[in-house]
């Protein structure tokens, strides 16, 4: 039996998901990485990876390029911007798009890459940073067989559940949008439950610990609920594991494609409004669990008394 292929892999984007994915891949494959933050790139050196100063350099000798950036604007910059990866990628190499950008954006990206002979694997991921580092992600894929075969060793290292949705880029994005509909609604429902618990004078920590084990529990309630409780109990904001503005983007994708399909999504639309309210309240860069404070604000800190000198006649 021949040894499993070890594709040379570039990871572009070392955020909450990209960094643990890169670390896991670097333990098994030759990996080069790029991120705009040099300190993020330096973290991969201890895991056996090599950092690069641009997407083009990271992709120069790669068989597979994995994109783990935030949105379509960053996808375009990483691939087609100045010193973008598409400048150095060879024909018949594969770009794995793990970001949630929506079906139309994924297809447009695939068409631009195809003009250069580069293959696209539409493979948005779900599961969070811890599961990314453990290779326990849900990955949903839209790709033709040739592209999928090339990227399969990378995907198998990252996914415990790998679902091939269809043969076209955009197919994976469609299923990921449904995933985000459920995730976004579940987080919003968790926030409402904890806000109501506080309004009724119940201890939110007790509510979360009790209900997460029953029929009302969900992954998002069990995962975000404790962080919502932490928001109220701590003077500092919880660690950012998933930014709130990610769900502003993702619920926009959900409601947009639902409108195009003429399918009403009233719960997703209500959740989208909650995330928009959170963004307007300055929570965009906070963990998405902080959306609970839109419904049940933290008590304001008492104003500190200020001793000021007595006014003299010139002040009047």
């Amino acid at each position: 039996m021949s040894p499993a292929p070890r594709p040379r892999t570039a990871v572009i984007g070392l955020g909450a998901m990209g960094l643990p994915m890169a670390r896991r891949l670097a333990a098994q494959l030759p990996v080069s990485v790029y991120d705009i933050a040099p300190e993020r790139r330096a973290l991969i050196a201890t895991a056996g990876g090599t950092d690069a100063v641009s997407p083009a350099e990271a992709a120069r000798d790669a068989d597979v390029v994995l994109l783990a950036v935030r949105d379509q604007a960053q996808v375009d910059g990483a691939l087609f911007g100045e010193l973008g990866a598409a400048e150095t990628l060879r024909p018949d190499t594969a770009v794995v798009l793990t970001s949630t950008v929506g079906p139309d954006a994924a297809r447009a990206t695939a068409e631009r890459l195809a003009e250069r002979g580069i293959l696209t694997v539409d493979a948005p991921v779900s599961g969070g940073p811890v599961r990314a580092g453990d290779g326990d992600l849900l990955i949903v894929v839209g790709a033709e067989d040739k592209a999928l075969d090339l990227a399969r060793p990378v995907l198998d290292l990252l996914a415990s559940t790998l679902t091939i949705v269809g043969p076209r880029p955009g197919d994976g994005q469609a299923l990921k949008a449904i995933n985000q509909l459920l995730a976004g609604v579940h987080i919003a429902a968790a926030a409402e439950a904890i806000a109501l618990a506080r309004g009724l004078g119940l201890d939110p920590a007790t509510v979360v610990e009790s209900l997460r084990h029953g029929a009302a529990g969900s992954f998002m309630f069990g995962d975000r609920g404790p962080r919502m409780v932490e928001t109220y109990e701590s003077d500092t904001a919880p660690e950012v594991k998933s930014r709130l503005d990610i769900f502003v983007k993702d619920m926009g994708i959900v409601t947009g494609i639902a409108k195009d399909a003429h399918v009403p999504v009233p719960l997703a639309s209500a959740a989208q409004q909650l995330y928009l309210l959170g963004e307007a309240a300055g929570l965009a860069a906070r963990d998405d669990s902080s959306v609970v404070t839109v419904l049940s604000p933290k008590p304001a800190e008492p104003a500190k008394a200020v001793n000021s000198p007595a006014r003299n006649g010139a002040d009047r």
Side-chain angles (χ1 to χ4, degrees):
M1 180 182 294
S2 60
R6 300 180 75 246
R8 292 166 295 184
T9 303
V11 178
I12 299 175
L14 299 175
M17 293 295 287
L19 182 61
M21 287 195 291
R23 280 176 166 158
R24 178 165 178 82
L25 293 174
Q28 301 287 333
L29 304 173
V31 168
S32 60
V33 300
Y34 174 74
D35 190 274
I36 58 172
E39 63 272 16
R40 303 292 286 183
R41 303 200 303 264
L43 293 173
I44 293 298
T46 58
T50 303
D51 74 52
V53 298
S54 69
E57 181 181 324
R60 187 174 304 280
D61 297 315
D63 303 303
V64 176
V65 171
L66 185 145
L67 289 183
V69 296
R70 184 179 304 167
D71 52 29
Q72 186 59 29
Q74 292 188 2
V75 169
D76 288 342
L79 290 175
F80 308 112
E82 184 178 2
L83 298 178
E87 290 186 11
T88 54
L89 274 173
R90 305 181 310 276
D92 291 332
T93 54
V95 169
V96 179
L97 179 60
T98 71
S99 310
T100 301
V101 296
D104 289 344
R107 293 183 189 117
T109 298
E111 289 172 2
R112 292 184 70 179
L113 290 171
E115 293 172 357
R116 302 168 183 252
I118 300 167
L119 308 172
T120 300
V121 179
D122 171 27
V125 303
S126 180
V130 173
R131 292 173 64 182
D134 292 339
D136 189 27
L137 293 173
L138 163 67
I139 304 183
V140 291
V141 177
E144 62 182 43
D145 290 343
K146 183 178 180 180
L148 179 58
D149 289 345
L150 185 57
R152 191 74 188 236
V154 173
L155 298 174
D156 284 344
L157 284 171
L158 298 174
S160 59
T161 303
L162 186 66
T163 301
I164 312 304
V165 186
R168 304 171 302 163
D171 291 341
Q173 294 290 330
L175 183 51
K176 178 62 188 295
I178 297 171
N179 179 89
Q180 294 307 89
L181 182 157
L182 290 166
V185 167
H186 288 171
I187 294 171
E192 285 195 8
I194 291 173
L196 180 58
R198 293 186 80 232
L200 295 174
L202 301 178
D203 174 31
T206 300
V207 171
V208 170
E209 183 57 29
S210 174
L211 297 185
R212 68 191 296 183
H213 300 293
S218 67
F219 173 85
M220 286 303 188
F221 185 73
D223 183 74
R224 295 325 197 259
R227 280 142 64 183
M228 292 179 183
V229 172
E230 182 186 351
T231 295
Y232 294 111
E233 293 182 345
S234 174
D235 292 333
T236 59
E239 177 187 357
V240 178
K241 297 183 178 180
S242 175
R243 286 171 53 124
L244 184 141
D245 58 5
I246 293 294
F247 270 101
V248 173
K249 167 182 70 76
D250 289 357
M251 298 310 282
I253 291 171
V254 169
T255 56
I257 64 176
K259 178 181 177 182
D260 291 343
H262 299 278
V263 175
V265 284
L267 295 180
S269 298
Q272 179 189 25
Q273 295 303 307
L274 181 59
Y275 296 118
L276 286 168
L277 286 170
E279 183 179 55
L283 303 176
R286 297 280 188 91
D287 189 77
D288 56 35
S289 60
S290 67
V291 75
V292 69
T293 61
V294 175
L295 301 172
S296 182
K298 294 181 71 171
E301 294 184 4
K304 295 181 179 180
V306 177
N307 295 322
S308 57
R311 294 176 178 268
N312 58 33
D315 294 326
R316 291 196 290 270

